[in-house]
Amino acid sequence: MKMDPVSLTINMRSLSHGINKDRFELSLREIDWNLDNIEPGDGQAFIDLEVDLEDRGIICRGILDAVFATPCARCLEKVNFPITEEIYRVYSWEGNISDDLDSEPVILGGGFSILNAVREAIILSIPGKALCTPDCRGISYI
Ligand SMILES: [Zn+2]
């Protein structure tokens, strides 16, 4: 299985029919995340993928393992937070009306990107109120 580490596009021709498993390192800082208040943190990021290519579409499962950063809710210092989050997305062929409302349309034989699925997993993992330290006193004016 081949995946571009920046666009997170999987080449459909690199898939065998049935289950395909692979582990990829992501180029976290080169990816256009388009996320408010969240940016790549320190360290490497990996995704373990299990991609099931079937006649009617593709079922993609994965585990994202990465570190992202968000500002401390009190002092705005960057706070790193690790993410281990499951990814699950169904893709079906464009023009082939599916009754699965949750599936994303893709072109048969082309590439398809899992970036949206990964982005949603990151949004789900963001702490509601991140603090740099539990007793952060906030921005101090000297
Ligand atoms: Zn703080």
Side-chain angles (χ1 to χ4, degrees):
M1 171 163 43
K2 288 201 175 104
M3 183 176 77
D4 183 272
V6 177
S7 66
L8 306 193
T9 299
I10 294 172
N11 182 341
M12 222 177 279
R13 290 193 198 94
S14 70
L15 298 174
S16 314
H17 200 266
I19 302 274
N20 299 258
K21 286 186 185 181
D22 230 323
R23 178 176 171 87
F24 297 97
E25 183 170 0
L26 308 181
S27 301
L28 221 54
R29 291 181 184 281
E30 291 168 53
I31 296 170
D32 181 13
W33 290 108
N34 196 18
L35 291 169
D36 288 336
N37 279 327
I38 304 164
E39 54 185 272
D42 303 325
Q44 291 169 295
F46 293 93
I47 189 162
D48 282 300
L49 285 179
E50 187 181 301
V51 177
D52 187 4
L53 175 63
E54 294 297 332
D55 294 333
R56 297 182 58 201
I58 294 169
I59 300 157
C60 186
R61 294 182 179 84
I63 306 267
L64 173 70
D65 198 355
V67 177
F68 278 78
T70 191
C72 168
R74 293 185 192 148
C75 73
L76 305 180
E77 275 294 319
K78 248 193 259 172
V79 185
N80 281 305
F81 61 95
I83 290 179
T84 305
E85 185 72 33
E86 267 181 61
I87 286 151
Y88 176 81
R89 188 60 61 105
V90 178
Y91 302 88
S92 51
W93 316 136
E94 199 161 332
N96 190 5
I97 308 295
S98 167
D99 42 15
D100 184 353
L101 294 174
D102 288 333
S103 70
E104 245 181 69
V106 292
I107 295 164
L108 178 59
F112 66 102
S113 173
I114 62 165
L115 182 58
N116 280 337
V118 173
R119 183 187 288 121
E120 284 162 25
I122 295 164
I123 292 170
L124 286 175
S125 307
I126 302 162
K129 203 174 177 187
L131 294 176
C132 58
T133 53
D135 57 351
C136 172
R137 289 167 174 267
I139 298 167
S140 54
Y141 298 93
I142 302 164

mmCIF file with all atom_site columns, all heavy atoms in Angstrom, residues 103-127:
data_model
loop_
_atom_site.group_PDB
_atom_site.id
_atom_site.type_symbol
_atom_site.label_atom_id
_atom_site.label_alt_id
_atom_site.label_comp_id
_atom_site.label_asym_id
_atom_site.label_entity_id
_atom_site.label_seq_id
_atom_site.pdbx_PDB_ins_code
_atom_site.Cartn_x
_atom_site.Cartn_y
_atom_site.Cartn_z
_atom_site.occupancy
_atom_site.B_iso_or_equiv
_atom_site.pdbx_formal_charge
_atom_site.auth_seq_id
_atom_site.auth_comp_id
_atom_site.auth_asym_id
_atom_site.auth_atom_id
_atom_site.pdbx_PDB_model_num
ATOM 1   N N   . SER A 1 103 ? -20.482 7.379  4.031   1.00 0.00 ? 103 SER A N   1
ATOM 2   C CA  . SER A 1 103 ? -19.342 7.090  3.173   1.00 0.00 ? 103 SER A CA  1
ATOM 3   C C   . SER A 1 103 ? -18.961 8.317  2.353   1.00 0.00 ? 103 SER A C   1
ATOM 4   O O   . SER A 1 103 ? -19.790 9.155  2.014   1.00 0.00 ? 103 SER A O   1
ATOM 5   C CB  . SER A 1 103 ? -19.645 5.899  2.265   1.00 0.00 ? 103 SER A CB  1
ATOM 6   O OG  . SER A 1 103 ? -20.602 6.252  1.308   1.00 0.00 ? 103 SER A OG  1
ATOM 7   N N   . GLU A 1 104 ? -17.681 8.425  2.067   1.00 0.00 ? 104 GLU A N   1
ATOM 8   C CA  . GLU A 1 104 ? -17.148 9.524  1.262   1.00 0.00 ? 104 GLU A CA  1
ATOM 9   C C   . GLU A 1 104 ? -17.008 9.020  -0.171  1.00 0.00 ? 104 GLU A C   1
ATOM 10  O O   . GLU A 1 104 ? -16.456 7.941  -0.386  1.00 0.00 ? 104 GLU A O   1
ATOM 11  C CB  . GLU A 1 104 ? -15.745 9.891  1.779   1.00 0.00 ? 104 GLU A CB  1
ATOM 12  C CG  . GLU A 1 104 ? -15.649 11.284 2.379   1.00 0.00 ? 104 GLU A CG  1
ATOM 13  C CD  . GLU A 1 104 ? -14.234 11.593 2.841   1.00 0.00 ? 104 GLU A CD  1
ATOM 14  O OE1 . GLU A 1 104 ? -13.347 11.749 1.982   1.00 0.00 ? 104 GLU A OE1 1
ATOM 15  O OE2 . GLU A 1 104 ? -14.023 11.673 4.062   1.00 0.00 ? 104 GLU A OE2 1
ATOM 16  N N   . PRO A 1 105 ? -17.475 9.800  -1.174  1.00 0.00 ? 105 PRO A N   1
ATOM 17  C CA  . PRO A 1 105 ? -17.336 9.331  -2.552  1.00 0.00 ? 105 PRO A CA  1
ATOM 18  C C   . PRO A 1 105 ? -15.896 9.453  -3.056  1.00 0.00 ? 105 PRO A C   1
ATOM 19  O O   . PRO A 1 105 ? -15.235 10.458 -2.802  1.00 0.00 ? 105 PRO A O   1
ATOM 20  C CB  . PRO A 1 105 ? -18.272 10.248 -3.338  1.00 0.00 ? 105 PRO A CB  1
ATOM 21  C CG  . PRO A 1 105 ? -18.414 11.469 -2.511  1.00 0.00 ? 105 PRO A CG  1
ATOM 22  C CD  . PRO A 1 105 ? -18.159 11.091 -1.083  1.00 0.00 ? 105 PRO A CD  1
ATOM 23  N N   . VAL A 1 106 ? -15.421 8.432  -3.738  1.00 0.00 ? 106 VAL A N   1
ATOM 24  C CA  . VAL A 1 106 ? -14.080 8.459  -4.340  1.00 0.00 ? 106 VAL A CA  1
ATOM 25  C C   . VAL A 1 106 ? -14.178 7.889  -5.747  1.00 0.00 ? 106 VAL A C   1
ATOM 26  O O   . VAL A 1 106 ? -15.141 7.204  -6.087  1.00 0.00 ? 106 VAL A O   1
ATOM 27  C CB  . VAL A 1 106 ? -13.043 7.644  -3.512  1.00 0.00 ? 106 VAL A CB  1
ATOM 28  C CG1 . VAL A 1 106 ? -12.764 8.313  -2.189  1.00 0.00 ? 106 VAL A CG1 1
ATOM 29  C CG2 . VAL A 1 106 ? -13.488 6.211  -3.311  1.00 0.00 ? 106 VAL A CG2 1
ATOM 30  N N   . ILE A 1 107 ? -13.196 8.206  -6.574  1.00 0.00 ? 107 ILE A N   1
ATOM 31  C CA  . ILE A 1 107 ? -13.192 7.721  -7.952  1.00 0.00 ? 107 ILE A CA  1
ATOM 32  C C   . ILE A 1 107 ? -12.492 6.369  -8.000  1.00 0.00 ? 107 ILE A C   1
ATOM 33  O O   . ILE A 1 107 ? -11.368 6.222  -7.504  1.00 0.00 ? 107 ILE A O   1
ATOM 34  C CB  . ILE A 1 107 ? -12.499 8.743  -8.882  1.00 0.00 ? 107 ILE A CB  1
ATOM 35  C CG1 . ILE A 1 107 ? -13.324 10.034 -8.919  1.00 0.00 ? 107 ILE A CG1 1
ATOM 36  C CG2 . ILE A 1 107 ? -12.318 8.178  -10.283 1.00 0.00 ? 107 ILE A CG2 1
ATOM 37  C CD1 . ILE A 1 107 ? -12.576 11.228 -9.471  1.00 0.00 ? 107 ILE A CD1 1
ATOM 38  N N   . LEU A 1 108 ? -13.182 5.406  -8.576  1.00 0.00 ? 108 LEU A N   1
ATOM 39  C CA  . LEU A 1 108 ? -12.640 4.046  -8.677  1.00 0.00 ? 108 LEU A CA  1
ATOM 40  C C   . LEU A 1 108 ? -11.322 4.062  -9.451  1.00 0.00 ? 108 LEU A C   1
ATOM 41  O O   . LEU A 1 108 ? -11.239 4.604  -10.538 1.00 0.00 ? 108 LEU A O   1
ATOM 42  C CB  . LEU A 1 108 ? -13.667 3.138  -9.365  1.00 0.00 ? 108 LEU A CB  1
ATOM 43  C CG  . LEU A 1 108 ? -13.275 1.688  -9.620  1.00 0.00 ? 108 LEU A CG  1
ATOM 44  C CD1 . LEU A 1 108 ? -12.938 0.982  -8.313  1.00 0.00 ? 108 LEU A CD1 1
ATOM 45  C CD2 . LEU A 1 108 ? -14.385 0.958  -10.339 1.00 0.00 ? 108 LEU A CD2 1
ATOM 46  N N   . GLY A 1 109 ? -10.292 3.491  -8.882  1.00 0.00 ? 109 GLY A N   1
ATOM 47  C CA  . GLY A 1 109 ? -9.003  3.387  -9.556  1.00 0.00 ? 109 GLY A CA  1
ATOM 48  C C   . GLY A 1 109 ? -8.077  4.560  -9.309  1.00 0.00 ? 109 GLY A C   1
ATOM 49  O O   . GLY A 1 109 ? -6.897  4.511  -9.633  1.00 0.00 ? 109 GLY A O   1
ATOM 50  N N   . GLY A 1 110 ? -8.594  5.645  -8.730  1.00 0.00 ? 110 GLY A N   1
ATOM 51  C CA  . GLY A 1 110 ? -7.751  6.810  -8.473  1.00 0.00 ? 110 GLY A CA  1
ATOM 52  C C   . GLY A 1 110 ? -7.139  6.758  -7.085  1.00 0.00 ? 110 GLY A C   1
ATOM 53  O O   . GLY A 1 110 ? -6.975  5.698  -6.502  1.00 0.00 ? 110 GLY A O   1
ATOM 54  N N   . GLY A 1 111 ? -6.827  7.930  -6.579  1.00 0.00 ? 111 GLY A N   1
ATOM 55  C CA  . GLY A 1 111 ? -6.320  7.999  -5.216  1.00 0.00 ? 111 GLY A CA  1
ATOM 56  C C   . GLY A 1 111 ? -7.420  8.526  -4.314  1.00 0.00 ? 111 GLY A C   1
ATOM 57  O O   . GLY A 1 111 ? -8.368  9.151  -4.771  1.00 0.00 ? 111 GLY A O   1
ATOM 58  N N   . PHE A 1 112 ? -7.307  8.253  -3.043  1.00 0.00 ? 112 PHE A N   1
ATOM 59  C CA  . PHE A 1 112 ? -8.264  8.829  -2.099  1.00 0.00 ? 112 PHE A CA  1
ATOM 60  C C   . PHE A 1 112 ? -7.513  9.237  -0.845  1.00 0.00 ? 112 PHE A C   1
ATOM 61  O O   . PHE A 1 112 ? -6.572  8.584  -0.428  1.00 0.00 ? 112 PHE A O   1
ATOM 62  C CB  . PHE A 1 112 ? -9.407  7.864  -1.793  1.00 0.00 ? 112 PHE A CB  1
ATOM 63  C CG  . PHE A 1 112 ? -8.982  6.614  -1.057  1.00 0.00 ? 112 PHE A CG  1
ATOM 64  C CD1 . PHE A 1 112 ? -9.189  6.495  0.302   1.00 0.00 ? 112 PHE A CD1 1
ATOM 65  C CD2 . PHE A 1 112 ? -8.358  5.588  -1.733  1.00 0.00 ? 112 PHE A CD2 1
ATOM 66  C CE1 . PHE A 1 112 ? -8.786  5.355  0.984   1.00 0.00 ? 112 PHE A CE1 1
ATOM 67  C CE2 . PHE A 1 112 ? -7.951  4.445  -1.062  1.00 0.00 ? 112 PHE A CE2 1
ATOM 68  C CZ  . PHE A 1 112 ? -8.164  4.326  0.299   1.00 0.00 ? 112 PHE A CZ  1
ATOM 69  N N   . SER A 1 113 ? -7.944  10.377 -0.292  1.00 0.00 ? 113 SER A N   1
ATOM 70  C CA  . SER A 1 113 ? -7.222  10.941 0.847   1.00 0.00 ? 113 SER A CA  1
ATOM 71  C C   . SER A 1 113 ? -7.959  10.644 2.145   1.00 0.00 ? 113 SER A C   1
ATOM 72  O O   . SER A 1 113 ? -9.178  10.780 2.226   1.00 0.00 ? 113 SER A O   1
ATOM 73  C CB  . SER A 1 113 ? -7.079  12.452 0.684   1.00 0.00 ? 113 SER A CB  1
ATOM 74  O OG  . SER A 1 113 ? -6.515  12.989 1.869   1.00 0.00 ? 113 SER A OG  1
ATOM 75  N N   . ILE A 1 114 ? -7.190  10.275 3.157   1.00 0.00 ? 114 ILE A N   1
ATOM 76  C CA  . ILE A 1 114 ? -7.777  10.025 4.475   1.00 0.00 ? 114 ILE A CA  1
ATOM 77  C C   . ILE A 1 114 ? -7.577  11.232 5.393   1.00 0.00 ? 114 ILE A C   1
ATOM 78  O O   . ILE A 1 114 ? -7.808  11.153 6.586   1.00 0.00 ? 114 ILE A O   1
ATOM 79  C CB  . ILE A 1 114 ? -7.202  8.746  5.126   1.00 0.00 ? 114 ILE A CB  1
ATOM 80  C CG1 . ILE A 1 114 ? -5.688  8.873  5.358   1.00 0.00 ? 114 ILE A CG1 1
ATOM 81  C CG2 . ILE A 1 114 ? -7.510  7.511  4.287   1.00 0.00 ? 114 ILE A CG2 1
ATOM 82  C CD1 . ILE A 1 114 ? -5.127  7.814  6.307   1.00 0.00 ? 114 ILE A CD1 1
ATOM 83  N N   . LEU A 1 115 ? -7.156  12.366 4.797   1.00 0.00 ? 115 LEU A N   1
ATOM 84  C CA  . LEU A 1 115 ? -6.843  13.545 5.615   1.00 0.00 ? 115 LEU A CA  1
ATOM 85  C C   . LEU A 1 115 ? -8.043  13.999 6.453   1.00 0.00 ? 115 LEU A C   1
ATOM 86  O O   . LEU A 1 115 ? -7.904  14.324 7.631   1.00 0.00 ? 115 LEU A O   1
ATOM 87  C CB  . LEU A 1 115 ? -6.342  14.682 4.720   1.00 0.00 ? 115 LEU A CB  1
ATOM 88  C CG  . LEU A 1 115 ? -5.931  15.979 5.425   1.00 0.00 ? 115 LEU A CG  1
ATOM 89  C CD1 . LEU A 1 115 ? -4.840  15.750 6.449   1.00 0.00 ? 115 LEU A CD1 1
ATOM 90  C CD2 . LEU A 1 115 ? -5.472  17.023 4.412   1.00 0.00 ? 115 LEU A CD2 1
ATOM 91  N N   . ASN A 1 116 ? -9.248  14.010 5.857   1.00 0.00 ? 116 ASN A N   1
ATOM 92  C CA  . ASN A 1 116 ? -10.431 14.438 6.614   1.00 0.00 ? 116 ASN A CA  1
ATOM 93  C C   . ASN A 1 116 ? -10.682 13.537 7.816   1.00 0.00 ? 116 ASN A C   1
ATOM 94  O O   . ASN A 1 116 ? -11.009 14.019 8.902   1.00 0.00 ? 116 ASN A O   1
ATOM 95  C CB  . ASN A 1 116 ? -11.674 14.448 5.720   1.00 0.00 ? 116 ASN A CB  1
ATOM 96  C CG  . ASN A 1 116 ? -11.729 15.691 4.855   1.00 0.00 ? 116 ASN A CG  1
ATOM 97  O OD1 . ASN A 1 116 ? -11.127 16.703 5.185   1.00 0.00 ? 116 ASN A OD1 1
ATOM 98  N ND2 . ASN A 1 116 ? -12.425 15.599 3.742   1.00 0.00 ? 116 ASN A ND2 1
ATOM 99  N N   . ALA A 1 117 ? -10.525 12.245 7.621   1.00 0.00 ? 117 ALA A N   1
ATOM 100 C CA  . ALA A 1 117 ? -10.749 11.297 8.721   1.00 0.00 ? 117 ALA A CA  1
ATOM 101 C C   . ALA A 1 117 ? -9.723  11.524 9.826   1.00 0.00 ? 117 ALA A C   1
ATOM 102 O O   . ALA A 1 117 ? -10.055 11.486 11.015  1.00 0.00 ? 117 ALA A O   1
ATOM 103 C CB  . ALA A 1 117 ? -10.672 9.865  8.195   1.00 0.00 ? 117 ALA A CB  1
ATOM 104 N N   . VAL A 1 118 ? -8.468  11.780 9.439   1.00 0.00 ? 118 VAL A N   1
ATOM 105 C CA  . VAL A 1 118 ? -7.417  12.004 10.430  1.00 0.00 ? 118 VAL A CA  1
ATOM 106 C C   . VAL A 1 118 ? -7.657  13.330 11.153  1.00 0.00 ? 118 VAL A C   1
ATOM 107 O O   . VAL A 1 118 ? -7.530  13.424 12.377  1.00 0.00 ? 118 VAL A O   1
ATOM 108 C CB  . VAL A 1 118 ? -6.020  11.982 9.758   1.00 0.00 ? 118 VAL A CB  1
ATOM 109 C CG1 . VAL A 1 118 ? -4.935  12.376 10.739  1.00 0.00 ? 118 VAL A CG1 1
ATOM 110 C CG2 . VAL A 1 118 ? -5.731  10.598 9.180   1.00 0.00 ? 118 VAL A CG2 1
ATOM 111 N N   . ARG A 1 119 ? -8.059  14.358 10.394  1.00 0.00 ? 119 ARG A N   1
ATOM 112 C CA  . ARG A 1 119 ? -8.328  15.662 10.991  1.00 0.00 ? 119 ARG A CA  1
ATOM 113 C C   . ARG A 1 119 ? -9.442  15.552 12.044  1.00 0.00 ? 119 ARG A C   1
ATOM 114 O O   . ARG A 1 119 ? -9.348  16.101 13.136  1.00 0.00 ? 119 ARG A O   1
ATOM 115 C CB  . ARG A 1 119 ? -8.711  16.660 9.902   1.00 0.00 ? 119 ARG A CB  1
ATOM 116 C CG  . ARG A 1 119 ? -8.936  18.076 10.426  1.00 0.00 ? 119 ARG A CG  1
ATOM 117 C CD  . ARG A 1 119 ? -9.468  19.005 9.366   1.00 0.00 ? 119 ARG A CD  1
ATOM 118 N NE  . ARG A 1 119 ? -8.480  19.355 8.364   1.00 0.00 ? 119 ARG A NE  1
ATOM 119 C CZ  . ARG A 1 119 ? -8.598  19.126 7.068   1.00 0.00 ? 119 ARG A CZ  1
ATOM 120 N NH1 . ARG A 1 119 ? -9.676  18.533 6.607   1.00 0.00 ? 119 ARG A NH1 1
ATOM 121 N NH2 . ARG A 1 119 ? -7.662  19.486 6.235   1.00 0.00 ? 119 ARG A NH2 1
ATOM 122 N N   . GLU A 1 120 ? -10.500 14.815 11.713  1.00 0.00 ? 120 GLU A N   1
ATOM 123 C CA  . GLU A 1 120 ? -11.603 14.656 12.659  1.00 0.00 ? 120 GLU A CA  1
ATOM 124 C C   . GLU A 1 120 ? -11.155 13.916 13.917  1.00 0.00 ? 120 GLU A C   1
ATOM 125 O O   . GLU A 1 120 ? -11.612 14.224 15.023  1.00 0.00 ? 120 GLU A O   1
ATOM 126 C CB  . GLU A 1 120 ? -12.777 13.933 11.992  1.00 0.00 ? 120 GLU A CB  1
ATOM 127 C CG  . GLU A 1 120 ? -13.536 14.871 11.070  1.00 0.00 ? 120 GLU A CG  1
ATOM 128 C CD  . GLU A 1 120 ? -14.424 14.154 10.065  1.00 0.00 ? 120 GLU A CD  1
ATOM 129 O OE1 . GLU A 1 120 ? -14.841 13.013 10.351  1.00 0.00 ? 120 GLU A OE1 1
ATOM 130 O OE2 . GLU A 1 120 ? -14.689 14.746 9.008   1.00 0.00 ? 120 GLU A OE2 1
ATOM 131 N N   . ALA A 1 121 ? -10.261 12.947 13.754  1.00 0.00 ? 121 ALA A N   1
ATOM 132 C CA  . ALA A 1 121 ? -9.756  12.215 14.920  1.00 0.00 ? 121 ALA A CA  1
ATOM 133 C C   . ALA A 1 121 ? -8.978  13.156 15.834  1.00 0.00 ? 121 ALA A C   1
ATOM 134 O O   . ALA A 1 121 ? -9.060  13.059 17.066  1.00 0.00 ? 121 ALA A O   1
ATOM 135 C CB  . ALA A 1 121 ? -8.866  11.053 14.463  1.00 0.00 ? 121 ALA A CB  1
ATOM 136 N N   . ILE A 1 122 ? -8.241  14.086 15.243  1.00 0.00 ? 122 ILE A N   1
ATOM 137 C CA  . ILE A 1 122 ? -7.471  15.048 16.041  1.00 0.00 ? 122 ILE A CA  1
ATOM 138 C C   . ILE A 1 122 ? -8.428  15.979 16.786  1.00 0.00 ? 122 ILE A C   1
ATOM 139 O O   . ILE A 1 122 ? -8.262  16.218 17.986  1.00 0.00 ? 122 ILE A O   1
ATOM 140 C CB  . ILE A 1 122 ? -6.520  15.850 15.135  1.00 0.00 ? 122 ILE A CB  1
ATOM 141 C CG1 . ILE A 1 122 ? -5.465  14.912 14.540  1.00 0.00 ? 122 ILE A CG1 1
ATOM 142 C CG2 . ILE A 1 122 ? -5.847  16.979 15.911  1.00 0.00 ? 122 ILE A CG2 1
ATOM 143 C CD1 . ILE A 1 122 ? -4.725  15.487 13.366  1.00 0.00 ? 122 ILE A CD1 1
ATOM 144 N N   . ILE A 1 123 ? -9.460  16.464 16.103  1.00 0.00 ? 123 ILE A N   1
ATOM 145 C CA  . ILE A 1 123 ? -10.424 17.364 16.743  1.00 0.00 ? 123 ILE A CA  1
ATOM 146 C C   . ILE A 1 123 ? -11.077 16.671 17.939  1.00 0.00 ? 123 ILE A C   1
ATOM 147 O O   . ILE A 1 123 ? -11.261 17.276 18.997  1.00 0.00 ? 123 ILE A O   1
ATOM 148 C CB  . ILE A 1 123 ? -11.485 17.835 15.711  1.00 0.00 ? 123 ILE A CB  1
ATOM 149 C CG1 . ILE A 1 123 ? -10.816 18.750 14.672  1.00 0.00 ? 123 ILE A CG1 1
ATOM 150 C CG2 . ILE A 1 123 ? -12.638 18.560 16.392  1.00 0.00 ? 123 ILE A CG2 1
ATOM 151 C CD1 . ILE A 1 123 ? -11.670 19.093 13.478  1.00 0.00 ? 123 ILE A CD1 1
ATOM 152 N N   . LEU A 1 124 ? -11.390 15.390 17.787  1.00 0.00 ? 124 LEU A N   1
ATOM 153 C CA  . LEU A 1 124 ? -12.014 14.639 18.881  1.00 0.00 ? 124 LEU A CA  1
ATOM 154 C C   . LEU A 1 124 ? -11.079 14.481 20.078  1.00 0.00 ? 124 LEU A C   1
ATOM 155 O O   . LEU A 1 124 ? -11.528 14.287 21.197  1.00 0.00 ? 124 LEU A O   1
ATOM 156 C CB  . LEU A 1 124 ? -12.415 13.238 18.403  1.00 0.00 ? 124 LEU A CB  1
ATOM 157 C CG  . LEU A 1 124 ? -13.625 13.141 17.488  1.00 0.00 ? 124 LEU A CG  1
ATOM 158 C CD1 . LEU A 1 124 ? -13.800 11.709 17.008  1.00 0.00 ? 124 LEU A CD1 1
ATOM 159 C CD2 . LEU A 1 124 ? -14.885 13.609 18.216  1.00 0.00 ? 124 LEU A CD2 1
ATOM 160 N N   . SER A 1 125 ? -9.772  14.553 19.831  1.00 0.00 ? 125 SER A N   1
ATOM 161 C CA  . SER A 1 125 ? -8.790  14.283 20.889  1.00 0.00 ? 125 SER A CA  1
ATOM 162 C C   . SER A 1 125 ? -8.322  15.529 21.616  1.00 0.00 ? 125 SER A C   1
ATOM 163 O O   . SER A 1 125 ? -7.596  15.430 22.600  1.00 0.00 ? 125 SER A O   1
ATOM 164 C CB  . SER A 1 125 ? -7.548  13.612 20.286  1.00 0.00 ? 125 SER A CB  1
ATOM 165 O OG  . SER A 1 125 ? -7.908  12.495 19.536  1.00 0.00 ? 125 SER A OG  1
ATOM 166 N N   . ILE A 1 126 ? -8.719  16.696 21.135  1.00 0.00 ? 126 ILE A N   1
ATOM 167 C CA  . ILE A 1 126 ? -8.225  17.928 21.752  1.00 0.00 ? 126 ILE A CA  1
ATOM 168 C C   . ILE A 1 126 ? -8.808  18.066 23.144  1.00 0.00 ? 126 ILE A C   1
ATOM 169 O O   . ILE A 1 126 ? -10.014 17.976 23.318  1.00 0.00 ? 126 ILE A O   1
ATOM 170 C CB  . ILE A 1 126 ? -8.666  19.164 20.936  1.00 0.00 ? 126 ILE A CB  1
ATOM 171 C CG1 . ILE A 1 126 ? -8.170  19.053 19.518  1.00 0.00 ? 126 ILE A CG1 1
ATOM 172 C CG2 . ILE A 1 126 ? -8.164  20.444 21.576  1.00 0.00 ? 126 ILE A CG2 1
ATOM 173 C CD1 . ILE A 1 126 ? -8.921  19.983 18.606  1.00 0.00 ? 126 ILE A CD1 1
ATOM 174 N N   . PRO A 1 127 ? -7.967  18.312 24.129  1.00 0.00 ? 127 PRO A N   1
ATOM 175 C CA  . PRO A 1 127 ? -8.520  18.538 25.464  1.00 0.00 ? 127 PRO A CA  1
ATOM 176 C C   . PRO A 1 127 ? -9.344  19.819 25.466  1.00 0.00 ? 127 PRO A C   1
ATOM 177 O O   . PRO A 1 127 ? -8.979  20.812 24.828  1.00 0.00 ? 127 PRO A O   1
ATOM 178 C CB  . PRO A 1 127 ? -7.283  18.661 26.357  1.00 0.00 ? 127 PRO A CB  1
ATOM 179 C CG  . PRO A 1 127 ? -6.119  18.810 25.453  1.00 0.00 ? 127 PRO A CG  1
ATOM 180 C CD  . PRO A 1 127 ? -6.524  18.392 24.070  1.00 0.00 ? 127 PRO A CD  1
#
